[in-house]
């Protein structure tokens, strides 16, 4: 077992932690996004821009801030995951599947970040804002889901390679329930890194 393997597994573990946080924020922002769109349109139609502004402003702030936080955390976890799968790809050919999944996930996260801009543009042009917001949500969500499926397969194969059932099962669950799956892979990789021979690598040995 090489230090490169240890480094890759450690990066994947850290990525799993932040990915679970990112996914939670994405789920919440999607819910708030659809709610904000529906409420904003209804209020604008019923009361006009002036009457809707006070009520919709709070929704816009919440719906606009959460996605950017989720995107920021998602970008960090994505690159950390990409580096982890890259470290393992020289040892595990199947890790390349996870790497492609990360690339898809990154593209999806970037597209998903467009939707808050569309929500804000509702006050300028309802049609354009609605189109951008819905387009960002739908397109970004589809590509994110595809990326997560590939990432889950990558984790699953890592679990098989190192005979760690929690990572193995966590990878499968990631393809269905990403939030739960990432938590399981985080825990499973922690178990794996505490076992020989990986436990011989200590933080002070990092270069």
């Amino acid at each position: 077992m090489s230090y490169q393997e240890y480094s890759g597994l450690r990066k994947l573990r850290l990525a799993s932690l932040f990915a679970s946080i990112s996914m939670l924020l994405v789920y919440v922002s999607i819910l708030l996004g659809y709610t904000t769109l529906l409420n904003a349109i209804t209020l604008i139609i019923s009361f006009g821009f002036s009457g809707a502004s006070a009520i919709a402003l709070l929704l816009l702030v919440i719906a606009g801030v959460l996605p950017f936080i989720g995107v920021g955390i998602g970008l960090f976890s994505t690159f950390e995951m990409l580096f982890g799968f890259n470290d393992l790809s020289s040892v595990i050919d199947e890790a390349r599947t996870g790497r492609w999944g990360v690339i898809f996930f990154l593209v999806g996260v970037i597209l998903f970040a467009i939707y808050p801009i569309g929500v804000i543009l509702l006050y300028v042009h309802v049609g354009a804002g609605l189109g951008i917001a819905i387009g960002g949500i739908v397109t970004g969500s589809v590509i994110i889901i595809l990326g997560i499926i590939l990432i889950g397969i990558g984790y699953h194969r890592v679990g098989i390679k190192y005979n760690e059932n929690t990572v193995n099962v966590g990878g499968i669950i990631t393809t269905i329930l990403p939030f739960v799956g990432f938590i399981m892979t985080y825990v499973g990789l922690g178990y794996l890194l505490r076992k020989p021979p990986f436990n011989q690598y200590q933080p002070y040995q990092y270069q």
Side-chain angles (χ1 to χ4, degrees):
M1 299 294 180
S2 65
Y3 178 77
Q4 183 176 357
E5 290 179 73
Y6 173 80
S7 177
L9 293 171
R10 185 172 179 272
K11 290 173 183 176
L12 288 181
R13 182 172 187 254
L14 183 62
S16 293
L17 173 63
F18 283 97
S20 63
I21 297 174
S22 176
M23 291 305 303
L24 178 63
L25 291 178
V26 167
Y27 292 147
V28 173
S29 64
I30 289 175
L31 178 62
L32 285 178
Y34 282 117
T35 302
T36 301
L37 287 172
L38 293 176
N39 279 280
I41 293 173
T42 301
L43 290 171
I44 290 173
I45 294 175
S46 301
F47 304 103
F49 286 99
S50 59
S53 60
I55 302 175
L57 180 60
L58 178 60
L59 293 175
L60 288 174
V61 170
I62 296 175
V65 169
L66 277 182
F68 284 108
I69 296 176
V71 166
I73 297 175
L75 288 174
F76 173 80
S77 66
T78 298
F79 285 111
E80 193 72 7
M81 201 176 293
L82 180 62
F83 297 147
F85 279 120
N86 276 336
D87 287 345
L88 292 176
S89 62
S90 61
V91 181
I92 311 173
D93 291 336
E94 293 82 354
R96 296 171 184 173
T97 302
R99 183 172 58 186
W100 277 109
V102 171
I103 294 173
F104 276 103
F105 182 80
L106 177 60
V107 172
V109 167
I110 294 174
L111 289 175
F112 186 83
I114 295 175
Y115 110 76
I117 299 175
V119 172
I120 295 173
L121 287 178
L122 282 173
Y123 276 93
V124 179
H125 190 286
V126 176
L130 185 62
I132 293 174
I134 294 179
I137 290 178
V138 174
T139 306
S141 298
V142 170
I143 297 178
I144 285 175
I145 291 172
L146 177 59
I148 290 174
I149 291 174
L150 295 176
I151 290 172
I153 294 174
Y155 273 107
H156 168 67
R157 290 176 174 175
V158 168
I160 293 177
K161 169 67 176 180
Y162 295 104
N163 195 29
E164 176 52 59
N165 288 331
T166 306
V167 179
N168 182 355
V169 176
I172 297 174
I173 294 180
T174 297
T175 64
I176 305 172
L177 299 172
F179 177 68
V180 177
F182 282 130
I183 292 177
M184 290 187 65
T185 56
Y186 171 78
V187 173
L189 288 170
Y191 292 150
L192 178 60
L193 293 173
R194 287 193 293 269
K195 297 177 182 178
F198 296 115
N199 61 353
Q200 67 179 298
Y201 299 109
Q202 300 298 325
Y204 61 79
Q205 292 178 300
Y206 294 169
Q207 297 180 355

